[in-house]
Amino acid sequence: MRSMILAALCLSAPMLTHAQSADVFDPNEPVVTQASAQPGGLALPAGTAVLYDNGPFVTSAGTGPAGSDISLLQNGTLLMGTLGFSGSITGGLSVADDFVVPAGQTWNVTGARFYGYQTGSATTPSTFNDVRYQIWNGRPGDVGSTVLFGNLTTSRFVSSAWSNAYRTAEGTVGTTRPIMATVASVAAPISLAAGTYWVQWQMQGSGASGPFLPPITRVGQTTTGNARQFSTTSSLWTDIIDTGSPTGTQSFPQGMPFTLLGTISAGNLTITGSPVNFGTVAVGSTGAGSVTLGNNGSGSLTVTALAPTAPFARTGGTCGNLPITIAAASNCTVTFSFSPAATGAANQVVTVTSNGTGATSLTLQGTGAAPGVLSSSSTAVSFGGVAVGGFTTSTITVTNTGGSPFTLTGITGAAGAFSVSGGTCVTPFMLAPTASCTIIVRFTPTSVGTSTGALQLVTNIPSTTTVNLSGTGNIPAPTSIPTN
């Protein structure tokens, strides 16, 4: 960071002040080895688990004094120059780095673990006794970024212990910078939905130096992140930069290691309505069905694959297009169609892929059948001659001679001298294969001469059958006049 361009600091801790923003490598620092140093354990608080780790600081495990780990500043091989950056409470300095909650997850943060050292401190116990942090919904210092949780006035300190690592430089391996891991708590779990967040923190201890916070360190890598540092003195955010060795000759952006503790709320996918049975559907026709996708888990989930193949298809529903995100305690519907191209049974298991637990497939099934066929007992009905004022009837039988049901939806066209006067075909009337119904047609001539008409039998197949009607009105027979 630009404010970190300092004169080389003697690495004996007592000479450092809280206001300094970095612990810069000094090749003249004497090597100090504490022969009594022993590796220390780092147990998590009961009931917690590592939710997120922002990056490593150990470059060599088990190669330090008494089997300890080493966090090595690569001052010779990579010309890096900063051992640690200040996050001192009393110095008014803090650091911040980002993390991402993946899509479809909800993180319940129950605490955090931050890393720091005070040059010259004993290996154990830790000198740290205070830690404060807050979580932002965006990069601190940017317009629109706000604090979602915490502050820098309340101590969240729970415990602090040696991380089993020393921060050292090439050629000056020693034990004057034992890195401590300090656990911070929350008053209640912080629930974070998918998105990018930043955590800002600062620490304090009983030692005279720093505290200094080691950056993310990887062998052979100079740039490790995009962390920032804030100074209450200047009220400015600046990027955390290792300015190289000698100081000020390089510009290496750095990330800061931290660990979030907590749990991931997972969604649990439920599928209601499977198997979807479309029943018997005529070839050339389409049947419809649906399922309900639900989430009875504690976090949201995202469905990324749900793709039936012909003769089935996904046609819509309230879930919308893929990817489908379903919040906890929510549900939506997916509709399907069945359009058989051949007769016979069809059965398909459709894979449903999500980032949650629970259901992983659904089943679609149906039977393709030959289409329904309407057959009429007559295609033309002749009523012959009927005296004007009289009437006669004829019965037409309608039969389904096909392989699938159909519905007789209308009987139209009877007008004038012709009318439908009864029968069992009361529309809408569903005819299963081989089933029949009757239509009674009446001819009532009102004038002398020939009358014609056409009766239309309308179905949902769709098809229309026409029955031609004809009849003749005759002069009524003379009526005899009674005589006395």
Side-chain angles (χ1 to χ4, degrees):
M1 138 175 319
R2 296 159 188 78
S3 62
M4 298 183 299
I5 303 177
L6 308 172
L9 303 177
C10 175
L11 296 187
S12 56
M15 298 183 64
L16 301 175
T17 66
H18 292 301
Q20 292 169 334
S21 58
D23 181 12
V24 180
F25 170 68
D26 180 358
N28 298 316
E29 177 185 4
V31 176
V32 179
T33 299
Q34 300 172 347
S36 62
Q38 296 295 323
L42 187 61
L44 292 175
T48 64
V50 174
L51 177 65
Y52 174 80
D53 192 332
N54 195 50
F57 55 84
V58 171
T59 55
S60 180
T63 61
S68 60
D69 302 331
I70 294 299
S71 175
L72 188 65
L73 174 68
Q74 298 162 86
N75 51 292
T77 55
L78 299 181
L79 298 180
M80 302 184 73
T82 306
L83 289 156
F85 299 87
S86 181
S88 168
I89 293 174
T90 58
L93 294 166
S94 58
V95 301
D97 211 336
D98 64 336
F99 63 95
V100 176
V101 179
Q105 293 186 7
T106 298
W107 287 4
N108 303 305
V109 180
T110 58
R113 192 166 58 192
F114 303 108
Y115 305 94
Y117 65 85
Q118 291 191 282
T119 306
S121 64
T123 301
T124 55
S126 172
T127 58
F128 285 88
N129 53 27
D130 198 352
V131 58
R132 306 171 187 185
Y133 73 107
Q134 56 191 16
I135 295 176
W136 295 70
N137 65 354
R139 194 176 84 142
D142 287 358
V143 175
S145 294
T146 58
V147 173
L148 300 178
F149 159 81
N151 53 62
L152 298 184
T153 59
T154 303
S155 176
R156 306 283 178 179
F157 181 85
V158 174
S159 63
S160 187
W162 182 35
S163 69
N164 199 53
Y166 293 104
R167 181 66 171 162
T168 65
E170 291 174 331
T172 61
V173 177
T175 56
T176 64
R177 294 179 177 81
I179 299 174
M180 305 299 176
T182 300
V183 175
S185 67
V186 296
I190 309 162
S191 182
L192 300 176
T196 300
Y197 302 87
W198 284 69
V199 58
Q200 177 188 2
W201 71 97
Q202 56 183 182
M203 306 169 69
Q204 201 59 53
S206 60
S209 73
F212 295 109
L213 317 181
I216 294 172
T217 306
R218 297 185 178 95
V219 175
Q221 186 172 334
T222 56
T223 298
T224 61
N226 60 342
R228 311 197 85 195
Q229 188 180 53
F230 181 74
S231 168
T232 56
T233 301
S234 64
S235 297
L236 293 177
W237 283 98
T238 50
D239 295 334
I240 290 182
I241 303 293
D242 185 318
T243 55
S245 179
T247 301
T249 60
Q250 304 289 342
S251 179
F252 304 134
Q254 301 295 289
M256 302 300 292
F258 65 90
T259 302
L260 295 180
L261 309 176
T263 60
I264 297 176
S265 292
N268 186 74
L269 180 65
T270 62
I271 300 177
T272 305
S274 176
V276 181
N277 192 339
F278 295 88
T280 299
V281 178
V283 173
S285 298
T286 297
S290 67
V291 298
T292 298
L293 304 183
N295 178 7
N296 63 4
S298 56
S300 65
L301 63 81
T302 300
V303 175
T304 55
L306 198 171
T309 58
F312 303 101
R314 189 162 82 90
T315 56
T318 61
C319 289
N321 296 327
L322 293 171
I324 301 167
T325 298
I326 309 174
S330 298
N331 60 70
C332 61
T333 60
V334 178
T335 57
F336 301 95
S337 64
F338 173 47
S339 303
T343 60
N347 189 84
Q348 189 173 123
V349 177
V350 181
T351 298
V352 182
T353 303
S354 77
N355 61 353
T357 57
T360 58
S361 65
L362 60 87
T363 301
L364 306 175
Q365 58 191 31
T367 301
V373 177
L374 184 150
S375 295
S376 173
S377 60
S378 301
T379 58
V381 176
S382 176
F383 291 91
V386 178
V388 173
F391 72 89
T392 189
T393 62
S394 180
T395 300
I396 301 170
T397 301
V398 176
T399 303
N400 181 359
T401 59
S404 298
F406 69 82
T407 300
L408 182 64
T409 59
I411 303 171
T412 64
F418 304 101
S419 63
V420 175
S421 62
T424 60
C425 295
V426 180
T427 59
F429 190 90
M430 191 191 78
L431 285 161
T434 74
S436 299
C437 65
T438 60
I439 304 169
I440 299 175
V441 182
R442 178 171 173 164
F443 174 52
T444 308
T446 58
S447 61
V448 175
T450 300
S451 297
T452 60
L455 190 68
Q456 283 86 41
L457 308 180
V458 184
T459 71
N460 66 339
I461 298 177
S463 67
T464 300
T465 297
T466 299
V467 179
N468 294 314
L469 307 175
S470 63
T472 302
N474 294 331
I475 299 172
T479 303
S480 59
I481 302 172
T483 59
N484 294 327

